[in-house]
Amino acid sequence: GALKIYLTEFSKHESRKFKDEKRLIAEKWGNLKNFKARNGSIRKIIWAYNKTGSWLEAYKQIPANVREIMVSAYQSYLWNECVKEVLKRAVGMKELYSIKYNIGSLLFYKTLNDDQTKLIPATFKTISDEVKPNELESRIIKKILDKEHLEIADFAIKKETGNFFKTHERDVILKPMNFSISEPQIDEINDKGSRSMFKIKLSFELPKGSYATIITKRLFNH
């Protein structure tokens, strides 16, 4: 599955040649024996698979830093899904709203009263084969992993792949520090004259490991 994503999916920012090659691989998926890739990293992966017949050995040919990003991204996705369950239980769907992102949706609350705040844990653990969840985390993690057709033991991948999942506590609610927002100003780059375009300037600080894009999604529902 990881290899199919790596070899056939692409972003709009990649070159046309790279996109065309990935489209061709998608068309020929399941019959790559005689496929001659132009891209060096792709050629190396397909060669490894054709030589060994092992998707695992082919997977190991993906650059190590990219594999680390894949694992980290999946772990973050699972954590986000767990936090959505936390919010559903504490706040209820009627008081939450959903914002789409490229692999699903995120949930945000509109307001929180004191009772709801007490039901939201300060942190929630990321999932690994060594995670020791508390009672609430255990129930939620099981629900999310059931949807993914996985068990906690499936996260023990270091011996086979060299990659690994690590458990750490992540804050469920973060508030940006030193936050400021400007008044709307004419956007000199995108303003067309006939239809005014505006910009605003945001300034804030977040702790390490947090994402500024989440703040903008929360602010602008986008």
Side-chain angles (χ1 to χ4, degrees), residues 171-190:
D171 292 337
V172 174
I173 296 176
L174 278 175
K175 294 183 179 179
M177 298 169 288
N178 299 320
F179 182 89
S180 67
I181 184 169
S182 74
E183 293 293 328
Q185 306 165 25
I186 291 292
D187 183 345
E188 70 279 5
I189 295 176
N190 296 302

Side-chain angles (χ1 to χ4, degrees), residues 134-149:
N134 58 37
E135 185 178 346
L136 173 66
E137 291 169 335
S138 184
R139 289 199 306 269
I140 291 175
I141 287 172
K142 184 179 186 310
K143 181 175 181 177
I144 298 305
L145 293 189
D146 283 348
K147 290 181 182 178
E148 298 288 306
H149 306 292

Side-chain angles (χ1 to χ4, degrees), residues 2-218:
L3 270 174
K4 189 169 186 180
I5 291 170
Y6 183 76
L7 292 176
T8 65
E9 295 190 13
F10 50 82
S11 74
K12 63 181 180 181
H13 304 293
E14 292 176 302
S15 69
R16 182 175 177 179
K17 286 183 179 179
F18 202 46
K19 292 176 183 176
D20 288 344
E21 183 148 78
K22 287 193 167 188
R23 288 189 187 102
L24 194 55
I25 292 171
E27 290 173 11
K28 294 181 177 295
W29 192 257
N31 185 27
L32 296 174
K33 192 168 184 62
N34 297 314
F35 185 81
K36 299 191 184 304
R38 293 189 297 269
N39 179 274
S41 63
I42 289 178
R43 184 165 58 246
K44 185 178 180 182
I45 292 167
I46 293 176
W47 179 85
Y49 175 69
N50 287 333
K51 182 181 179 182
T52 64
S54 167
W55 289 118
L56 179 58
E57 291 305 314
Y59 167 81
K60 291 178 182 178
Q61 303 305 314
I62 296 176
N65 64 317
V66 176
R67 285 187 278 129
E68 287 176 12
I69 290 171
M70 285 177 158
V71 168
S72 178
Y74 187 56
Q75 187 170 57
S76 293
Y77 165 76
L78 292 174
W79 188 86
N80 286 335
E81 293 299 297
C82 288
V83 169
K84 284 162 65 174
E85 288 299 316
V86 169
L87 292 175
K88 288 176 189 176
R89 291 165 185 248
V91 183
M93 281 302 298
K94 288 184 178 179
E95 297 181 59
L96 297 171
Y97 64 95
S98 174
I99 295 177
K100 291 183 179 179
Y101 71 121
N102 58 347
I103 55 172
S105 63
L106 299 169
L107 288 180
F108 292 99
Y109 57 83
K110 298 172 185 176
T111 59
L112 286 178
N113 61 40
D114 290 341
D115 291 336
Q116 291 167 334
T117 301
K118 290 175 184 176
L119 293 174
I120 298 176
T123 63
F124 199 98
K125 298 180 183 71
T126 58
I127 302 173
S128 78
D129 57 304
E130 297 180 347
V131 66
K132 293 180 173 57
N134 58 37
E135 185 178 346
L136 173 66
E137 291 169 335
S138 184
R139 289 199 306 269
I140 291 175
I141 287 172
K142 184 179 186 310
K143 181 175 181 177
I144 298 305
L145 293 189
D146 283 348
K147 290 181 182 178
E148 298 288 306
H149 306 292
L150 290 172
E151 297 179 358
I152 285 177
D154 294 324
F155 289 78
I157 63 170
K158 186 173 182 179
K159 185 176 180 180
E160 282 189 315
T161 69
N163 299 119
F164 60 92
F165 292 87
K166 185 177 180 180
T167 289
H168 57 274
E169 304 266 358
R170 291 185 65 180
D171 292 337
V172 174
I173 296 176
L174 278 175
K175 294 183 179 179
M177 298 169 288
N178 299 320
F179 182 89
S180 67
I181 184 169
S182 74
E183 293 293 328
Q185 306 165 25
I186 291 292
D187 183 345
E188 70 279 5
I189 295 176
N190 296 302
D191 184 59
K192 305 299 181 184
S194 59
R195 181 185 174 200
S196 294
M197 301 291 286
F198 295 88
K199 67 181 181 181
I200 60 171
K201 291 182 180 180
L202 292 175
S203 177
F204 55 86
E205 296 174 13
L206 291 173
K208 183 180 178 181
S210 305
Y211 292 89
T213 50
I214 303 301
I215 303 297
T216 61
K217 284 180 184 293
R218 172 64 179 84

